[in-house]
Amino acid sequence: MSFEASMQFAQLKDSEDKLAAFKHKFYFPQINGKDVIYFCGNSLGLQAKTVQPAIQQELDDWKNLGIAGFLTAKNPWMYYQEYFKNSLAKIVGCKEDEVTVMNSLTVNLHLLMLTFYKPTAARFKIIMEAGAFPSDQYAVETQVKHHGFNTEAAVIEISPRAGEKTLKTEDIIAVIEENAESIALVMLGGINYYTGQLFDIKTITEATHKAGAIASFDLAHAAGNVSLKLHDWNVDFAVWCSYKYLNGGPGAVGGLYVHEKYATDPSTPRFAGWWGNDEDARFKMEKGFIAKPNASGWNISTAQILNMAALKASLEIFEEAGFENILSKSEELTAYLEFLLQQLRDLNFEIITPEDRKSRGAQLSLYFRVKGKEIQQKMLDSGIVVDYREPGVIRIAPAPLYCSFEDVYRFYEILRNNF
Ligand SMILES: *Cc1c(COP(=O)(O)O)cnc(C)c1O
């Protein structure tokens, strides 16, 4: 790929982009009466224009059908979670029986840890990355305590080498091997939310299994953003939220994956509710939980239709665009952003996200030694939404469904002309 730092080149790329028109399927917030350029899809994806009619459909069916909607709504509510399996299986790379939607991310992380984190006196440790997303840290800390262990002893955090910002796979493997006798679980973010680093999930999973432990990943920043092969990589379980790259809306229903060797085995322990029960037996109102022989066996409560409708509408856009097309545009768009940033060597900043395209998704995290906050403000004033995290990090995520090469070029132009 050879790039040029010019608006003309950016516009040429947009004219060749098969997905360029998808931008028009989304609503953009406005600043000074104009659509913003939105680089925060890693925090909250934009609303597709099809979301409102999709929710309206469910409201109408509820209004007109009442209880009958469970079986006779346009999208019968009884089977609502089934509608996600096909597209999510493609997005996270697994079999349809291995995926479901329910609750939200941290809740699902707790529930799956209840299934998979079975500490014993000898094997009780959990490995995670240092500086993991706070919710994951709290979940792990309180699970450890729940089982009567002490956090200091049980939680092992992997940190970058001195002077580095991201983790080396060999260092992750080394920590797993050093603790091979005592680890129960490895729980990493698939992509670290701060640095944008995508971990080598396959290699980490292999090393974890060799150590006799469970390999799990929080895919909040990875689902819908990078190519995943959860089944082939033999990952034991994974959870994600649907409001970042998946554009499911604030607090959207979360997703989870459980490898079929557990998911198809109804005897795998889980905390149950009637929605995870075998459908034929559910309404017999009898004692004795009979788990569905798939990931849906982890469902607990009645599907949250109004919430799920938004994600359903969003995933239809992923289907229409084709996930492979989304990924290849994303790789090029982020590479273009990186190329442009490399032209600004005089500016005092560092791209902390890995340069290797296989070790990142859409996001680049820029560490500005000075003026980080000021740059973010200037971007906002210019109609570009980027986020800022202390100390000095601006995260930019050009989500391929609604960001263009021209958008990326505008960001560069403002940096170049003002700082
Ligand atoms: C966004 C994010 C969360 C948020 O969890 P919720 O339960 O959906 O609020 C958790 N973990 C990671 C790594 C995230 O990026």
Side-chain angles (χ1 to χ4, degrees):
M1 264 180 250
S2 71
F3 293 131
E4 284 171 33
S6 73
M7 179 60 97
Q8 202 184 3
F9 178 81
Q11 288 172 343
L12 175 71
K13 292 301 290 179
D14 285 332
S15 71
E16 292 168 354
D17 171 17
K18 283 183 291 191
L19 299 185
F22 278 76
K23 206 182 199 347
H24 306 299
K25 293 180 185 288
F26 292 87
Y27 289 114
F28 288 79
Q30 304 245 311
I31 291 182
N32 300 327
K34 278 176 59 190
D35 284 1
V36 297
I37 290 172
Y38 193 78
F39 289 142
C40 272
N42 56 342
S43 284
L44 180 68
L46 291 181
Q47 183 184 144
K49 291 177 181 169
T50 46
V51 163
Q52 206 172 336
I55 295 175
Q56 191 61 48
Q57 176 74 48
E58 306 308 343
L59 287 172
D60 290 346
D61 285 350
W62 176 22
K63 179 168 126 189
N64 297 322
L65 302 167
I67 186 74
F70 274 97
L71 293 173
T72 63
K74 174 158 182 259
N75 312 300
W77 303 328
M78 183 82 94
Y79 313 108
Y80 221 82
Q81 280 138 312
E82 298 297 309
Y83 310 149
F84 298 86
K85 292 189 164 194
N86 183 273
S87 46
L88 281 178
K90 286 187 257 182
I91 287 172
V92 300
C94 68
K95 300 188 176 180
E96 292 190 20
D97 270 358
E98 295 176 317
V99 71
T100 189
V101 292
M102 61 190 211
N103 315 310
S104 44
L105 195 169
T106 312
V107 176
N108 291 337
L109 179 56
H110 274 300
L111 288 171
L112 289 182
M113 285 172 80
L114 286 170
T115 292
F116 288 99
Y117 177 54
K118 292 284 172 48
T120 63
R123 206 179 255 289
F124 59 95
K125 293 181 187 167
I126 301 181
I127 292 181
M128 63 193 308
E129 81 257 42
F133 198 86
S135 204
D136 300 25
Q137 293 187 37
Y138 305 149
V140 166
E141 170 197 329
T142 53
Q143 285 268 342
V144 161
K145 286 184 180 158
H146 170 75
H147 288 284
F149 291 87
N150 156 320
T151 329
E152 302 269 288
V155 182
I156 303 173
E157 294 187 335
I158 315 179
S159 300
R161 295 181 185 183
E164 297 186 6
K165 295 269 191 319
T166 53
L167 294 174
K168 294 207 158 28
T169 305
E170 65 205 79
D171 292 352
I172 300 174
I173 304 302
V175 174
I176 292 171
E177 286 173 353
E178 277 157 30
N179 294 281
E181 306 293 311
S182 56
I183 42 170
L185 183 72
V186 172
M187 217 297 291
L188 295 174
I191 289 184
N192 180 272
Y193 79 100
Y194 189 71
T195 63
Q197 178 181 20
L198 168 61
F199 296 118
D200 183 344
I201 296 177
K202 178 170 185 268
T203 305
I204 294 167
T205 299
E206 269 167 27
T208 303
H209 288 163
K210 229 170 113 201
I214 293 282
S216 64
F217 295 87
D218 177 335
L219 302 175
H221 282 259
N225 177 21
V226 291
S227 174
L228 298 165
K229 299 262 175 297
L230 297 182
H231 176 85
D232 290 349
W233 296 340
N234 231 350
V235 169
D236 294 301
F237 78 87
V239 289
W240 56 92
C241 56
S242 308
Y243 47 81
K244 292 172 181 169
Y245 294 95
L246 292 175
N247 308 327
V253 62
L256 66 88
Y257 151 91
V258 181
H259 191 283
E260 71 176 347
K261 66 178 179 251
Y262 313 107
T264 56
D265 179 358
S267 73
T268 307
R270 62 200 88 189
F271 277 21
W274 70 330
W275 235 246
N277 202 81
D278 172 47
E279 252 150 47
D280 295 334
R282 185 188 293 165
F283 290 95
K284 291 187 182 148
M285 307 297 184
E286 286 170 355
K287 270 192 201 310
F289 175 67
I290 308 165
K292 286 184 183 171
N294 52 48
S296 306
W298 273 262
N299 294 163
I300 296 180
S301 292
T302 313
Q304 294 138 289
I305 306 302
L306 299 181
N307 174 332
M308 292 180 183
L311 179 62
K312 182 171 176 296
S314 169
L315 290 179
E316 282 161 10
I317 293 178
F318 276 76
E319 286 289 323
E320 195 187 334
F323 194 45
E324 289 304 316
N325 299 330
I326 294 174
L327 293 180
S328 58
K329 174 175 175 186
S330 180
E331 188 177 322
E332 214 187 357
L333 194 58
T334 297
Y336 187 51
L337 172 63
E338 181 182 45
F339 165 81
L340 292 173
L341 291 167
Q342 284 163 350
Q343 314 305 308
L344 300 172
R345 296 220 180 267
D346 296 346
L347 257 166
N348 197 4
F349 76 102
E350 182 190 345
I351 303 177
I352 62 178
T353 307
E355 218 174 302
D356 172 18
R357 293 184 194 174
K358 297 278 163 280
S359 302
R360 70 182 189 207
Q363 170 185 331
L364 293 184
S365 302
L366 315 181
Y367 170 54
F368 288 89
R369 287 178 190 84
V370 290
K371 291 194 184 166
K373 192 80 194 115
E374 205 182 311
I375 290 169
Q376 187 216 15
Q377 192 54 50
K378 177 71 195 168
M379 290 298 163
L380 276 177
D381 294 344
S382 314
I384 302 185
V385 184
V386 295
D387 92 352
Y388 177 81
R389 297 269 168 144
E390 293 295 346
V393 170
I394 288 184
R395 300 184 304 165
I396 314 160
L401 279 174
Y402 50 75
C403 294
S404 66
F405 289 83
E406 180 173 334
D407 292 345
V408 164
Y409 186 80
R410 290 209 181 276
F411 175 83
Y412 154 78
E413 205 174 36
I414 292 168
L415 265 187
R416 186 193 63 191
N417 295 345
N418 294 278
F419 296 96

